[in-house]
Amino acid sequence: MTASGAVQRFTRPVRPWTPPLSGGQLTTVLDRLRVWTAFDGGALLDDVAAALDDVPPAEELAERLRGHLMRLVTLAVAAEGEQDATATRLIERARTLRVEDLPGDRWKAVAHLRRMGWTTNEFHDWLVAVRYLKDAA
């Protein structure tokens, strides 16, 4: 047992801790984390299959495919060293398809969804090929 007078005390001054971000910046980070959703390759492939194989429910599937395309564009832009002509073409096509409204005509809507599904699948395959994503299947 140690006597109370024998405890070694540190005498070097220590600066008080200061947070790396201000309160407003921390609030911004928290807000972004609350709306963030993780990349789900399985859901992406399910939606691609629905767009290419089934007669899909148009609006819901279109919104999900737009979300997948946005995530894939973000990943491709982040993979700077891997970008090539294929990446540039896919980024441009994804951005174009993402902003187009779903046509009112049923068959044109199905064709649009299939273009979105095909582009999403091709984009995913490219990101797997350059080893920026693991295969989701």
Side-chain angles (χ1 to χ4, degrees):
M1 196 154 141
T2 309
S4 61
V7 176
Q8 181 180 6
R9 305 277 180 198
F10 292 102
T11 56
R12 217 168 81 205
V14 177
R15 288 187 325 222
W17 179 80
T18 55
L21 300 173
S22 69
Q25 291 170 322
L26 286 172
T27 301
T28 301
V29 169
L30 180 60
D31 290 342
R32 288 182 182 176
L33 285 172
R34 285 183 174 151
V35 298
W36 176 77
T37 55
F39 176 76
D40 185 353
L44 178 142
L45 293 177
D46 289 344
D47 288 341
V48 166
L52 298 178
D53 295 337
D54 300 335
V55 179
E59 283 298 324
E60 298 166 2
L61 183 58
E63 285 304 312
R64 290 195 308 267
L65 287 170
R66 284 184 187 106
H68 294 313
L69 287 171
M70 287 183 352
R71 283 186 191 92
L72 294 174
V73 166
T74 301
L75 290 171
V77 169
E80 290 178 30
E82 305 298 334
Q83 288 184 6
D84 56 10
T86 303
T88 303
R89 180 180 50 82
L90 288 169
I91 290 169
E92 288 175 12
R93 190 182 333 152
R95 287 178 173 161
T96 301
L97 286 170
R98 199 179 72 208
V99 298
E100 287 180 10
D101 290 330
L102 195 63
D105 178 68
R106 172 122 176 99
W107 294 112
K108 288 181 181 178
V110 169
H112 180 70
L113 287 171
R114 290 190 173 153
R115 279 192 305 274
M116 288 177 69
W118 188 256
T119 301
T120 302
N121 188 56
E122 197 175 347
F123 218 142
H124 178 264
D125 289 348
W126 177 80
L127 286 166
V128 169
V130 296
R131 298 184 179 175
Y132 202 76
L133 282 179
K134 290 183 181 180
D135 194 3

